[in-house]
Amino acid sequence: MVRSPPPGVYVPSPTFFKPIQAGASQPEVDVATQSEHSVFLAKNGVHGLVLLGSTGEAIHLTRAERKGLLSGVRKSLDDAGFPDYPIMAGVLINGIDEALEWLQDSKDAGCQWGLVLAPGYFGGAASQEGLIEWYTIVADKSPIPLLIYNYPGVTNGITVTPETYEKLAQHPNIVGCKMSHGNVSYHVQVSTSPKIDHEKFRVYSGFGQQLGPIVVFNTAGVIDGLASFFPKTVVRLFELSSKRPIDDTAIQEARTLQYRVSRAEDYIGRWGILGIREGIYRVVGLGTVEGGRAPLRGRIPEGAWEEWADVMKAMSEP
């Protein structure tokens, strides 16, 4: 029987790079720091990872670099006492044959699932019927189960509709989705649809500011960048929101944490991947603040982190 990812908080990890060497055109991938951060997250309660997704700049890496990163993290987690720790590997390519190549490489590296971005090169010219055909072909041939990844911001505005999810959820090798957009109604329609087996097909949001409200209505959790440097707080919010039955004390704590998380998520929304790198460097003490590969080099402006001092203080963890 096909395996679905467990509910919880997943971190879409940025890819770590070494400081760029003099004369080099771009920095090298830092698998050692990537692995150290992954083990840190596992030790602090995070339920799983998304590696080489949009935050992970997968499109900036070669095939060999992607394979090396995935296998390196898997080995480090195994060595640290986290065997079979959940890993979704991003698949950010439009061609079917290449998508299947990425999925095979992910399986070979020890990843259990592929998080497959909707093919958005042609934007609105891609109909919902076209998306169903594309995902069906990929799922038919994929060596690992996959989740549908809808991020309109990087796919020319393509939005997968609830009706499309209902159809694709019937495929035995499609086990969930990540919605990286603010349409809460779509999240809830899919997570409560009577046409979907919700033990098999899991719904995740890319926005932690939606965590509490959507988990109440049966979503499986979040894939959230804020948890890359404040894992305990986001995990605690998930635990409270998914508690059944939920008592008044838990509700009050969840409200308090959701407020703090939602405010801090505004920082992520403002500064994106560079802001996540800055947060990991300042709070966890890992990585650099040089940014990733062009065009995502550099760091957030001087003084920008300090503008969020009160918000980050409220998120502080022991």
Side-chain angles (χ1 to χ4, degrees), residues 146-163:
L146 60 89
L147 293 87
I148 301 160
Y149 178 20
N150 186 201
Y151 183 4
V154 297
T155 54
N156 289 311
I158 281 183
T159 301
V160 181
T161 66
E163 293 77 16

Side-chain angles (χ1 to χ4, degrees), residues 12 54-55 115 117 148-155 158-160 165 177-183 186-187 203-208 210 222-225:
S54 301
T55 302
L115 183 64
L117 185 68
I148 301 160
Y149 178 20
N150 186 201
Y151 183 4
V154 297
T155 54
I158 281 183
T159 301
V160 181
Y165 285 119
C177 66
K178 175 190 179 186
M179 300 188 201
S180 288
H181 58 66
N183 191 329
Y186 273 24
H187 287 75
V203 178
Y204 300 87
S205 175
F207 293 169
Q210 299 174 349
V222 291
I223 300 172
D224 178 60

